[in-house]
Amino acid sequence: MENIVILKGITKIFPQVTANDNIDFELRKGEIHSIVGENGAGKSTLMKILTGLYRPSKGEIFVKGRKVKFHSCFDSIKLGIGIVHQHFMLIDNLTVIENLMLGIEGGFFIDERRIRKKAEEISEKYNLKIPFDKKIEEISTGDKQRVEILKVLLRDCDILIFDEPTQVLTPIEVVEFFKILRRLKEDGSSIIFITHKLKEVMEISDRCTVLRDGKKIGTLNRDELDERLIARMMVGRDIEEVKNPGGKIEEEVILEVKDLRFVEDDIEILKGISFCVKKGEILGICGVEGNGQRELVEIIAGLRKATSGRIFYRGRDITDFPVKGILSYSISHIPEDRLRRGLVLNFPLKENFLLTYQHFYPFKRWYGIDYKFLQDETKNAIDEFDVRGGDVDTPAGNLSGGNQQKFVVARELCRSPYLLIAHNPTRGVDIGSIE
Ligand SMILES: Nc1ncnc2c1ncn2[C@@H]1O[C@H](COP(=O)(O)OP(=O)(O)OP(=O)(O)O)[C@@H](O)[C@H]1O
Ligand SMILES: [Mg+2]
């Protein structure tokens, strides 16, 4: 099969790290090629180079038989390369159709009717049902994903890159997503698929390339794919399955939720939820997204007000407590969306470590914030949780997605919380770190 993309000796040097180190990579026409590697291995950077978002420090790119140099993303789109990034690139307060129109060049004016018609045809063909006239902030994560896919298909891209598309999807949505991938492949698209889930690699890929510390370790053919082997290539050792840590559960009730109701825009989102969490217990909550998990978590964390019902924490009624009050009780919250609620990307890690705790001892002393202490604590957290790619002064936005997530988890756990509310804490985190 012919190679539709060839990367030769791609190197990308950032001030603090070499994100890509002399990488050779080939994408064959019509294949689904997975790329795996630990957090910070260089996957997203390589894809940003292939789409013209970053310029390589060294190396050559060939697309459809021609050597190319990208000056911007438009150059790569013109060659039919489309990417769905690890973090959605949608504008929240515009509607779906407005987002779809962004960046489509059409001379003096943009023909909404034409774009809408084409979008409808594509969404029909690939079963990508999305409410075109709703605002992005009103639709589910799965829908946002479908908008991103539609965006690249609208531009007639036939080289499609998906950077960790399944990290935000529920298992049922993953099945649907794979159907779309297979359909795209049948229609002749060539696909690069990045994931941390080796089962997904086994299920969908024709070949798989493994990166580690910015270097390519190797490419496996379909008949060579083996979960243990891939894991070993990625991490350099065997990975154990995550097991229930066991431990003793005590009788003391830490959290009690009683008949909690939440109504928004006349829709009853939580319909009388009650449960208890005892000391030493891990209570799992599962369900398809959009069934009230987010609201439940945010009410307990003090970010929303319940319509009715009560919440007790170690016997005290904390219903409708302000966030500051909740925090003062050593309740930690790992938010669902690290970018929206967890981090300020252009703040250095140490300031991100301080977030929400700026009012509390030991960070706040009588004279103000104890920066020396903050610096030391941040450094310990980075070391203990193996957050890679920066130090206390690195802006959070420079870390790879999985390392950002590890940092948020580190911050919340370092506070030795009495109660931890963890919403999708392993989102985008590699198998070694999950362990
Ligand atoms: N804009 C940037 N400035 C400085 N360093 C960066 C930048 N983008 C990425 N890096 C660094 O490059 C390295 C590779 O990051 P990259 O995002 O490519 O990793 P990744 O393999 O996609 O990881 P993940 O699985 O966590 O998404 C990391 O060490 C990261 O900190
Ligand atoms: Mg990445």
Side-chain angles (χ1 to χ4, degrees), residues 57 100 109 146 171 198 206 212 214 234 361 374 395 412 422 427:
S57 314
L100 290 174
F109 66 99
R146 287 183 275 277
L198 299 185
D206 297 304
R212 188 160 98 214
M234 273 172 62
Y361 181 83
L374 173 63
E412 298 307 320
R427 181 186 252 201

Side-chain angles (χ1 to χ4, degrees), residues 36-285:
V36 298
E38 285 182 296
N39 297 133
K43 306 176 296 291
S44 298
T45 304
L46 192 65
M47 294 306 111
K48 286 177 185 166
I49 288 174
L50 177 54
T51 49
L53 205 60
Y54 288 163
R55 237 170 268 180
S57 314
K58 243 182 17 217
E60 295 174 310
I61 305 172
F62 298 84
V63 179
K64 300 179 179 167
R66 273 182 31 219
K67 183 170 167 179
V68 293
K69 257 210 165 81
F70 297 137
H71 300 286
S72 77
C73 297
F74 280 116
D75 292 344
S76 69
I77 292 172
K78 272 187 223 139
L79 286 170
I81 304 178
I83 181 165
V84 176
H85 285 285
Q86 184 165 1
H87 300 127
F88 294 134
M89 303 276 184
L90 299 169
I91 300 186
D92 272 351
N93 47 4
L94 294 185
T95 62
V96 169
I97 192 78
E98 285 164 346
N99 268 277
L100 290 174
M101 292 191 300
L102 284 179
I104 293 188
E105 285 177 309
F108 284 120
F109 66 99
I110 296 173
D111 185 350
E112 181 182 334
R113 277 235 312 273
R114 188 181 59 83
I115 294 176
R116 185 182 284 266
K117 184 156 169 287
K118 187 167 172 191
E120 278 166 359
E121 280 166 17
I122 298 173
S123 71
E124 178 78 19
K125 179 170 175 197
Y126 290 103
N127 203 13
L128 292 162
K129 290 189 203 86
I130 330 168
F132 282 132
D133 294 303
K134 274 204 174 157
K135 286 191 176 163
I136 295 294
E137 61 196 2
E138 297 164 352
I139 65 178
S140 73
T141 315
D143 277 342
K144 288 182 196 165
Q145 171 90 273
R146 287 183 275 277
V147 177
E148 290 278 18
I149 299 175
L150 202 56
K151 239 167 74 183
V152 292
L153 296 180
L154 259 178
R155 293 163 182 179
D156 298 315
C157 294
D158 61 346
I159 299 171
L160 306 173
I161 303 169
F162 295 94
D163 193 351
E164 292 190 44
T166 56
Q167 66 165 327
V168 291
L169 301 181
T170 57
I172 303 159
E173 287 175 320
V174 172
V175 174
E176 285 305 310
F177 175 70
F178 278 3
K179 280 190 198 153
I180 297 171
L181 278 195
R182 291 203 178 92
R183 184 76 204 272
L184 288 166
K185 177 182 148 143
E186 277 167 28
D187 289 347
S189 292
S190 315
I191 296 168
I192 297 177
F193 170 57
I194 298 179
T195 183
H196 284 293
K197 298 177 188 142
L198 299 185
K199 295 219 159 36
E200 295 179 354
V201 174
M202 300 300 294
E203 187 181 334
I204 195 104
S205 31
D206 297 304
R207 293 195 301 160
C208 170
T209 290
V210 183
L211 302 185
R212 188 160 98 214
D213 288 335
K215 296 191 186 64
K216 177 164 128 178
I217 301 299
T219 297
L220 301 170
N221 291 319
R222 167 109 220 142
D223 55 353
E224 296 168 316
L225 293 181
D226 172 79
E227 270 187 62
R228 286 190 85 87
L229 172 66
I230 299 173
R232 227 177 299 133
M233 286 168 75
M234 273 172 62
V235 194
R237 62 181 167 88
D238 281 328
I239 297 284
E240 304 291 324
E241 281 218 7
V242 179
K243 294 202 185 77
N244 185 317
K248 193 166 160 279
I249 297 173
E250 295 179 26
E251 276 314 302
E252 187 194 347
V253 173
I254 298 293
L255 179 73
E256 186 180 4
V257 171
K258 260 193 182 159
D259 200 25
L260 200 65
R261 281 168 208 281
F262 181 68
V263 179
E264 192 175 56
D265 298 337
D266 290 335
I267 300 169
E268 199 177 16
I269 296 176
L270 298 176
K271 304 174 183 170
I273 307 271
S274 303
F275 60 84
C276 283
V277 184
K278 291 183 177 169
K279 190 170 178 182
E281 184 177 37
I282 298 176
L283 175 76
I285 296 181

